[in-house]
Amino acid sequence: MVIDRQEAARLADIIRSHVSRDFYLAQLGGFAVEDVALHYLAVGATMGLDPNPEFSTTFYLTQNADVAQAGDNPLWHYLTYGQSEGRVAKPDPDKAAVVADDDFSAQNGSILAEFFDPIYYRYRYPESLVEELSPLDHFHRLGWRRGYNPSGSFSTLDYLSRYPDVASSGLDPLNHYVRFGRSEGRPISPPPALTDDEEALRERRMRLIAPYFDEKYYLEQNEDVRHAGTSALEHYALFGWKEGRDPAAEFRISEYVGKHPRLADEPVDPFWHSVVMGSDFYQVKDPAFGSLLTLEQREAMELLEPHFDHKFYLASNRDVADAGVDPLVHYITSGWKEGRMPTPAFSPTFYLDTQPDVAAANVEPFWHYLITGKSEGRLGRHPGGWRAERLRTLAPLETEVRHWMKADGPPALLSTRALAQILKSASTTNGRQLTLSVGHDHCHRNNGGVQLCIQREEQIAKADGSSYVYVYPYQPLPRLARQSDADTIVGIVINGSDAGYAPASILAAALRRARPDFKSTMAVVHHLLGHAPESVQDLIQSLGSDSCFYWLHDYFLLCTGFTLQANDVRYCGAPPPDSNSCRLCKYGDERVQQLSRLSEFFGSLQVTVLSPSQVAADIWKSNTGLKHADLRIIEHMQLSARKTPRKKTVRAQVVTVAFSGTPADHKGWRVFEELVMEFGGDPRYEFVFFGTAEPKMRNLEVVRVNVSAENRSAMIDAIQTRDVDIVLHWASWPETFSFSTYEAVAAGSFVLTNGLSGNVARTVQKTGKGRVLKDSSDLFEAFRGNEISKLVNTRRQAANSEVFDHEISLMSYSENALGVES
Amino acid sequence: MTIHVYTSFSFSYLNRARVLAASVKRHHPEWKFWALITDLEPAGFSLAIEDEDFDFVLMATDLYGDETERWLFAHDVIEACTAVKGRALLHLLDQPDCTGAMYFDPDTCIFNRLDDVVGLIEKHSVVLTPHQVDPEEKSEKRAIRDNEITSLGFGVYNLGFVAVGVGEESRRFAQWWADRLDDWCYDRLDIGIFVDQKWCDLVPSFFEDVKILRDPGYNVASWNLSQRTMSFDENGMALINGKPLRFYHFTKLGPLGDMMTQRYARDNTEVYELWWWYRQQIECATDDRIPNRYWHYGHFDNGSPIPKPVRELYRDRQDLRKAFRNPSRTADGFFDWLVSEGLVSPTEVAAAS
């Protein structure tokens, strides 16, 4: 019976004074229920609980088939109609026609022994313990309604579906069979074999007790187990509890059974019982997870069980997997409130956000979806996938700017004199040349390709006896600084050491003073994010020159959204700023201002644009209107193939698939995640992440790798050591260079990518090391079939005969940049 | 010569009207935009037309004069804001420089120029956009119910848009529409009427040279997304089924609209981008001084809300209309009569005051 909350409250008011709290709770084995009337309405009647000693739910429903059929609450029916119609509330002991339960078992004892097996029942349905009823009582009152079988020889569901008269009578089918069916010669069937289920059940129980099981203690106490070298937990689950061996120092089996004497005769591990029942022990060990499963939660678990994706839940929630908690229990008790998804097709957050009525009812959303939402046409997950989900919470650019703002006030600022003094003293040891370099963040405190390039230049300058003055905005921003904030505060790093902070105008004045102490100067712009281009122009001109280099590390010269992802979800290709695409984009308004300021910057200076790849140069050239002195291509890294006899290694068939670098959407991290989810358990593959981030996923090995100017080959070495077959680089924008692709190829791996990925695809095509696929469905198809193993076989042969040497460029100091003919 | 464009709204929808007007001005700065307002300003707020993209403001009182309040009393807010569209159209056509007129619902927004429509009204009397222009598949039961069956109930053409020329037949249409809306602009699905919209099912039969505009780029909305796909071309132009997106109808901003959009846009991410943008625009255009769901004509002058059944009673009973000329004014006696008849609870008055 599905009734809404208002209706339930109305019915509860009618029956409330007839539900005896103590009497009712006693049947629940001490579970806390706040409103017993509501509980009886919602689940109690279905469970066969009685509201008071004078009213038998089961009796009333069996005697009054019309009430059972209508789905009415029996007590409500009795109070509203039944009583005045002379219907009877409970069995009359004087009337011989009604067979009481006790009589029933006494009279039919031998027959029952044949068809009811308490050991089977407890073992098969351990949750029956929760209701604190004897196995037979449990079956008689609740179990058969849930489709439980009384033994391995009688299938409840088969009996009910075979005999509709029994199903509509509301009688317990075993009761019917023993009293009537048997003598009427009705055939019965055994339930399906349970071997697999039993195994799964044992595993589930083990998982449930694992977090509380004290392995060390168990091994200390049980020398035989220690000597046998078997798993302590497994030993306990299979034998230990039956032999009375305690699972933890704080938990005494004998003590617990003393408190729950019925357990002495039950085929059930008392420790598991204490975990399920939420005993004190369980709560003390893990207060966060120790709350009892309410009856509603257990009912919900039954409904969810067939739809809940255990594998997916564990794969996407490493913490749950690590804790060994039953994933469904975790989801029911806390996971859904934390927005964790029970299956890839259902998002609790999305459902609650888009269905305000469900959110207001404060019910578990997946349960709501299964019970009613789905049939009402409600969607369990945004059909637009992660992009549409992202758009639901996408902040306008200026909101994002506010989030970026530092809370602390301005830093201590250097004076012109102090700064000029620092520069002067640098000139005494590194006086050959002064390079002013401009970037978007601290190049030593952040990881990434751009930062590596800057570090590389700094290294070269120092080795050459020159000085490298690196400047970044004190306040980082996702756009240019406003012109009104023209005197931006910048952080200054001189020859690798932090010099301090100063307004850009102070730095310009200091550079003017210190300039004569250096033999020559040059200016390199790596990024303008967070800077006011007007200030940067002033800085460059303070060196006494109008020339500078500008590196195309990304497409910031075309748009504020420098990876050209409109609204962070779609590659746009930098169309005209007044196009629909730009007007609808979060970067659209800012882009117009930015392009006009960049036009001024490029118009006032002699800018030589340096591109790390032909792809990036082509894209920029065909979309820009900026005046520039020259456009030159300098690849950050050169690969050269070398044939070499390598020892043939004997390798297992398993294919190693990796993601290296920053796990960002535009680098294809989402696609990699989906691959791990889908193929993580597939014995053909293993997945590894290389980088400084720490993604937490099941079936994903994380190898920490930090590439720096000092250890430039760290990634290549790591990939080589692990002998990775495939590196996935599923970029959703045209990468201007992609160190990770070059590193993968240099390490002898193959790269999988798509046609949009710019220099990634170009490099794969050029080297032949990998495959450029059409779209992600092709990618998943390749993993499902045998295309990946075929590709890997090619790689393994090639890796045995060919390696790539790599050479890192001199960046802005390379001959090509400087225009020197080699 | 000039195209005159108008939208009709109460102050609660001022934000939407602003977004629409800005979009019209962006693509057609040469057109004149009229804000047709069936409302009075809330306390603490006054509309400064010089700060708006509206060229003219037309109030319901300009069209109905002294009769305004009495006439409006028979309508709820949706009925009222649609009923005034007829007389307003005649008013626009009467402008000396008018070479054509178009109506847009306030929750529509223009994305590319509408020169084609200007061309059409030179040759046709009336241009209408159907809710759907392509049938659903037989197996798509839910879509048939949501889209086609709904159109059968509420009207084949969406009256969030209509364009007319200045010829004789156009004027004949405008006069007929205005006449019907004067007397019959109600939400009365039981007798086959749905405000100003269902009437227009008759237009192709009643008038010559009616153009049913079947281009998928016009009046795109959740009710036709099942058959329309949005994309961008290499120049960033928004396309619907490969044709330029002309205007989108952002019907039902909120969870219900979201649900219908998701149901039919599915994984067409561009549609969600469009909605994202619209939400931002509406937020920027919202004036916090206008109370939520505000409508001046929604209350008696003592602050008590006017229940829909009371409006229906008034519209159905000629004797009441005769006896009470200013029904929303308590001094007129209608309110007291309602209380004495038990049709309005005095406690509601207390609560409202």
Side-chain angles (χ1 to χ4, degrees):
Chain A
M1 177 171 52
V2 180
I3 46 176
D4 66 25
R5 292 170 77 80
Q6 259 186 328
E7 179 66 356
R10 194 180 67 79
L11 298 184
D13 284 345
I14 297 173
I15 65 165
R16 182 157 285 120
S17 60
H18 298 269
V19 185
S20 150
R21 189 171 175 82
D22 292 345
F23 177 83
Y24 190 80
L25 291 181
Q27 298 169 82
L28 284 170
F31 282 108
V33 168
E34 211 171 287
D35 185 332
V36 285
L38 265 180
H39 186 274
Y40 179 69
L41 276 172
V43 287
T46 323
M47 291 168 62
L49 301 178
D50 293 336
N52 62 56
E54 299 309 313
F55 186 89
S56 162
T57 301
T58 317
F59 174 79
Y60 196 78
L61 287 174
T62 0
Q63 295 298 308
N64 300 289
D66 57 330
V67 182
Q69 219 153 25
D72 287 336
N73 179 275
L75 178 60
W76 171 81
H77 183 276
Y78 177 71
L79 295 172
T80 319
Y81 309 107
Q83 202 169 14
S84 54
E85 292 164 7
R87 304 200 194 202
V88 184
K90 64 167 190 171
D92 183 345
D94 296 337
K95 285 191 182 166
V98 179
V99 182
D101 286 351
D102 289 348
D103 293 348
F104 167 64
S105 39
Q107 285 172 13
N108 302 289
S110 57
I111 308 169
L112 277 177
E114 198 184 331
F115 295 104
F116 192 88
D117 177 351
I119 307 271
Y120 168 93
Y121 194 78
R122 274 298 194 237
Y123 191 78
R124 183 71 191 85
Y125 311 110
E127 51 275 43
S128 65
L129 270 167
V130 172
E131 271 94 11
E132 297 274 338
L133 298 166
S134 76
L136 179 57
D137 270 356
H138 188 275
F139 175 78
H140 182 55
R141 304 178 65 158
L142 307 170
W144 70 268
R145 294 172 201 271
R146 296 178 185 171
Y148 295 177
N149 302 307
S151 69
S153 52
F154 185 96
S155 163
T156 300
L157 290 177
D158 176 73
Y159 198 78
L160 288 173
S161 64
R162 214 188 272 221
Y163 309 115
D165 59 323
V166 182
S168 60
S169 75
L171 266 186
D172 148 12
L174 184 67
N175 186 337
H176 181 275
Y177 180 69
V178 170
R179 286 166 64 188
F180 315 109
R182 199 161 175 265
S183 53
E184 290 163 13
R186 302 198 191 206
I188 57 168
S189 314
L194 296 172
T195 336
D196 287 352
D197 282 0
E198 283 177 20
E199 195 50 46
L201 202 66
R202 190 180 309 127
E203 271 191 20
R204 222 178 119 182
R205 286 190 201 170
M206 265 171 55
R207 279 209 306 274
L208 208 61
I209 62 169
Y212 315 99
F213 180 78
D214 188 340
E215 189 182 355
K216 190 162 164 267
Y217 170 84
Y218 195 79
L219 290 174
E220 273 167 16
Q221 297 296 310
N222 300 290
E223 206 176 328
D224 55 332
V225 182
R226 200 167 65 238
H227 282 308
T230 52
S231 145
L233 177 61
E234 214 166 294
H235 182 273
Y236 174 79
L238 280 170
F239 316 107
W241 67 268
K242 292 179 201 155
E243 297 159 8
R245 306 189 194 211
D246 294 331
E250 310 93 315
F251 188 90
R252 303 268 168 231
I253 290 183
S254 54
E255 210 175 287
Y256 191 79
V257 174
K259 281 191 208 160
H260 304 266
R262 276 197 318 101
L263 285 178
D265 306 322
E266 301 285 1
V268 158
D269 166 13
F271 187 50
W272 174 85
H273 182 264
S274 86
V275 171
V276 172
M277 299 291 282
S279 72
D280 291 347
F281 172 78
Y282 178 57
Q283 296 196 14
V284 169
K285 284 280 277 196
D286 186 355
F289 190 63
S291 60
L292 301 183
L293 282 184
T294 64
L295 281 165
E296 285 85 348
Q297 284 171 330
R298 272 180 281 119
E299 294 276 340
M301 271 177 71
E302 272 182 41
L303 177 80
L304 262 54
E305 176 77 55
H307 306 276
F308 185 82
D309 189 336
H310 291 71
K311 192 177 144 218
F312 166 81
Y313 198 80
L314 290 171
S316 44
N317 299 288
R318 174 83 169 264
D319 55 337
V320 180
D322 285 351
V325 182
D326 180 283
L328 180 53
V329 172
H330 183 272
Y331 174 76
I332 287 277
T333 51
S334 60
W336 69 271
K337 293 176 200 152
E338 296 156 11
R340 307 194 196 214
M341 294 164 63
T343 83
F346 187 87
S347 157
T349 319
F350 170 76
Y351 198 74
L352 292 175
D353 284 357
T354 53
Q355 322 286 335
D357 56 329
V358 184
N362 194 28
V363 294
E364 192 279 292
F366 192 39
W367 176 84
H368 182 274
Y369 175 70
L370 293 172
I371 286 274
T372 159
K374 200 174 172 185
S375 60
E376 291 164 5
R378 307 194 196 214
L379 297 169
R381 197 183 173 180
H382 204 304
W386 72 265
R387 292 185 172 84
E389 294 270 14
R390 165 70 67 88
L391 285 164
R392 289 179 54 235
T393 51
L394 184 74
L397 185 60
E398 286 313 304
T399 309
E400 208 178 301
V401 167
R402 283 197 292 281
H403 293 157
W404 281 50
M405 284 299 173
K406 287 184 173 181
D408 43 350
L413 299 176
L414 294 163
S415 66
T416 312
R417 220 170 78 182
L419 203 43
Q421 196 51 48
I422 299 172
L423 288 166
K424 262 180 192 301
S425 55
S427 73
T428 55
T429 48
N430 296 66
R432 264 176 71 110
Q433 189 182 48
L434 185 153
T435 301
L436 171 73
S437 168
V438 178
H440 66 291
D441 62 8
H442 196 300
C443 63
H444 291 284
R445 292 190 203 138
N446 298 285
N447 291 305
V450 180
Q451 292 84 345
L452 273 178
C453 291
I454 297 164
Q455 289 175 30
R456 168 84 175 147
E457 285 186 350
E458 188 183 74
Q459 242 179 6
I460 296 167
K462 272 159 62 179
D464 183 50
S466 296
S467 282
Y468 195 81
V469 178
Y470 175 68
V471 179
Y472 64 95
Y474 166 73
Q475 171 60 63
L477 290 172
R479 54 155 166 77
L480 291 176
R482 288 273 174 262
Q483 203 160 356
S484 49
D485 314 329
D487 209 4
T488 333
I489 297 172
V490 291
I492 305 153
V493 183
I494 300 178
N495 296 329
S497 304
D498 286 313
Y501 300 98
S505 62
I506 298 289
L507 174 61
L511 285 170
R512 260 180 230 113
R513 273 195 216 174
R515 191 175 76 207
D517 300 321
F518 293 88
K519 291 197 179 69
S520 63
T521 60
M522 72 183 262
V524 184
V525 180
H526 285 280
H527 224 293
L528 281 175
L529 259 180
H531 291 283
E534 298 77 12
S535 301
V536 174
Q537 183 186 327
D538 189 30
L539 284 175
I540 292 167
Q541 287 170 334
S542 71
L543 299 176
S545 159
D546 279 337
S547 304
C548 75
F549 290 125
Y550 192 110
W551 273 94
L552 278 187
H553 290 299
D554 52 40
Y555 303 102
F556 191 68
L557 290 185
L558 296 176
C559 181
T560 318
F562 51 81
T563 55
L564 306 184
Q565 307 285 300
N567 288 319
D568 296 345
V569 296
R570 170 177 57 88
Y571 176 67
C572 66
D578 63 349
S579 64
N580 291 141
S581 178
C582 286
R583 299 221 59 89
L584 295 172
C585 175
K586 73 179 256 195
Y587 300 109
D589 291 343
E590 178 64 25
R591 184 185 181 205
V592 175
Q593 290 185 47
Q594 176 173 316
L595 289 181
S596 127
R597 292 170 74 190
L598 287 177
S599 172
E600 183 65 30
F601 179 87
F602 274 67
S604 314
L605 299 169
Q606 291 292 312
V607 185
T608 298
V609 177
L610 303 178
S611 171
S613 68
Q614 188 66 50
V615 187
D618 292 345
I619 291 176
W620 181 68
K621 188 100 180 156
S622 56
N623 288 288
T624 191
L626 295 176
K627 165 188 139 330
H628 53 284
D630 203 356
L631 168 62
R632 295 173 193 163
I633 292 161
I634 299 160
E635 293 179 350
H636 296 326
M637 201 189 270
Q638 292 285 345
L639 293 177
S640 44
R642 176 161 54 89
K643 297 273 179 202
T644 173
R646 267 181 65 177
K647 218 164 62 178
K648 229 179 173 122
T649 47
V650 183
R651 295 232 3 192
Q653 286 307 301
V654 63
V655 173
T656 312
V657 185
F659 184 99
S660 65
T662 313
D665 288 348
H666 66 276
K667 300 211 174 260
W669 171 250
R670 295 253 187 186
V671 177
F672 184 74
E673 254 184 347
E674 281 170 24
L675 274 183
V676 179
M677 295 264 201
E678 185 162 345
F679 301 102
D682 190 324
R684 294 176 297 164
Y685 306 110
E686 58 185 15
F687 294 89
V688 193
F689 169 83
F690 295 95
T692 50
E694 287 172 359
K696 286 198 182 341
M697 285 183 79
R698 205 180 183 215
N699 298 317
L700 177 67
E701 184 188 333
V702 176
V703 178
R704 198 182 153 77
V705 181
N706 187 11
V707 181
S708 63
E710 288 73 36
N711 191 4
R712 192 58 202 81
S713 318
M715 187 63 81
I716 299 173
D717 297 344
I719 295 176
Q720 219 156 30
T721 307
R722 193 67 178 68
D723 200 5
V724 171
D725 292 299
I726 285 172
V727 172
L728 184 82
H729 195 117
W730 203 261
S732 58
W733 69 302
E735 288 271 8
T736 55
F737 182 71
S738 181
F739 275 113
S740 63
T741 301
Y742 272 65
E743 286 161 344
V745 174
S749 302
F750 270 15
V751 173
L752 279 186
T753 190
N754 62 77
L756 186 65
S757 62
N759 203 42
V760 182
R762 190 70 64 92
T763 307
V764 168
Q765 282 154 349
K766 211 162 66 183
T767 58
K769 302 299 173 194
R771 187 74 55 82
V772 181
L773 298 168
K774 199 166 105 254
D775 51 32
S776 57
S777 55
D778 275 12
L779 174 73
F780 281 81
E781 210 37 62
F783 271 82
R784 262 176 227 122
N786 58 5
E787 211 181 319
I788 294 295
S789 11
K790 275 201 228 157
L791 183 70
V792 166
N793 282 339
T794 329
R795 161 186 118 77
R796 287 180 181 172
Q797 279 160 12
N800 282 345
S801 59
E802 189 181 43
V803 292
F804 278 87
D805 288 328
H806 68 279
E807 196 186 335
I808 299 169
S809 92
L810 297 175
M811 296 295 303
S812 306
Y813 302 113
S814 64
E815 291 178 342
N816 190 10
L818 299 169
V820 179
E821 294 298 324
S822 55
Chain B
M1 299 312 271
T2 310
I3 299 292
H4 286 254
V5 173
Y6 72 121
T7 190
S8 174
F9 58 97
S10 64
F11 278 109
S12 297
Y13 263 52
L14 174 63
N15 51 8
R16 289 160 174 84
R18 282 173 166 166
V19 175
L20 167 66
S23 76
V24 170
K25 285 288 167 187
R26 173 180 305 285
H27 295 287
H28 286 283
E30 73 281 13
W31 289 0
K32 294 280 180 254
F33 194 97
W34 295 71
L36 168 58
I37 304 176
T38 306
D39 207 345
L40 294 182
E41 289 161 340
F45 172 81
S46 96
L47 186 72
I49 190 169
E50 61 277 15
D51 299 335
E52 305 286 344
D53 281 315
F54 311 140
D55 296 295
F56 307 104
V57 171
L58 192 61
M59 304 301 285
T61 42
D62 298 330
L63 299 171
Y64 285 86
D66 295 344
E67 282 293 289
T68 309
E69 281 197 23
R70 195 177 74 88
W71 178 77
L72 279 178
F73 196 87
H75 300 78
D76 66 20
V77 63
I78 295 171
E79 292 165 344
C81 289
T82 44
V84 293
K85 284 159 69 178
R87 282 203 189 183
L89 181 59
L90 289 171
H91 184 81
L92 263 61
L93 290 176
D94 284 343
Q95 301 304 306
D97 63 344
C98 181
T99 50
M102 292 181 206
Y103 172 79
F104 289 93
D105 263 356
D107 55 357
T108 58
C109 189
I110 289 168
F111 291 94
N112 284 294
R113 280 182 67 86
L114 301 173
D115 296 316
D116 285 355
V117 180
V118 178
L120 286 176
I121 54 177
E122 282 170 10
K123 288 185 280 183
H124 297 273
S125 56
V126 185
V127 179
L128 290 170
T129 48
H131 283 104
Q132 294 92 24
V133 298
D134 295 298
E136 304 289 351
E137 290 294 325
K138 183 172 190 279
S139 57
E140 296 295 323
K141 305 283 185 227
R142 189 186 290 278
I144 293 169
R145 206 168 42 234
D146 283 347
N147 301 331
E148 295 180 12
I149 294 178
T150 303
S151 289
L152 290 175
F154 289 77
V156 172
Y157 310 103
N158 179 259
L159 263 289
F161 170 78
V162 61
V164 298
V166 285
E168 204 45 48
E169 198 65 355
S170 299
R171 284 179 187 278
R172 205 163 71 80
F173 158 73
Q175 187 61 57
W176 166 80
W177 199 37
D179 289 347
R180 290 297 169 276
L181 302 190
D182 272 352
D183 300 331
W184 296 98
C185 186
Y186 301 127
D187 180 356
R188 285 286 308 272
L189 294 172
D190 56 325
I191 56 164
I193 291 180
F194 181 65
V195 291
D196 64 325
Q197 184 164 280
K198 193 76 188 293
W199 287 109
C200 289
D201 281 6
L202 297 170
V203 169
S205 320
F206 285 3
F207 304 98
E208 293 291 344
D209 301 324
V210 174
K211 171 68 184 176
I212 309 302
L213 183 49
R214 299 182 64 251
D215 184 318
Y218 289 84
N219 215 343
V220 187
S222 55
W223 53 66
N224 53 41
L225 277 180
S226 63
Q227 303 289 337
R228 301 189 192 189
T229 305
M230 181 172 166
S231 59
F232 291 98
D233 70 10
E234 60 199 18
N235 294 315
M237 177 180 265
L239 305 176
I240 301 291
N241 293 356
K243 298 194 123 191
L245 166 62
R246 300 298 172 181
F247 71 92
Y248 196 95
H249 200 147
F250 293 93
T251 185
K252 297 186 185 66
L253 175 70
L256 181 60
D258 286 349
M259 188 164 87
M260 297 312 281
T261 302
Q262 286 154 12
R263 187 175 288 174
Y264 294 111
R266 309 299 303 176
D267 61 353
N268 190 181
T269 320
E270 287 79 355
V271 174
Y272 306 114
E273 279 192 68
L274 196 63
W275 269 102
W276 178 82
W277 172 85
Y278 188 68
R279 277 202 179 84
Q280 308 306 322
Q281 301 302 306
I282 291 298
E283 208 176 303
C284 294
T286 301
D287 194 317
D288 294 337
R289 291 172 299 173
I290 299 171
N292 200 19
R293 305 179 77 84
Y294 170 83
W295 189 42
H296 171 81
Y297 300 109
H299 301 265
F300 290 99
D301 63 1
N302 62 4
S304 178
I306 303 169
K308 184 77 190 273
V310 168
R311 294 186 187 280
E312 287 168 346
L313 185 73
Y314 189 77
R315 83 165 66 134
D316 291 342
R317 294 248 320 246
Q318 206 180 4
D319 57 332
L320 293 178
R321 292 204 302 276
K322 268 192 180 160
F324 304 108
R325 307 295 295 175
N326 292 300
S328 59
R329 315 229 163 173
T330 36
D332 201 39
F334 184 50
F335 183 80
D336 290 340
W337 180 82
L338 287 168
V339 173
S340 70
E341 291 290 312
L343 296 166
V344 166
S345 151
T347 52
E348 278 180 37
V349 188
S353 56

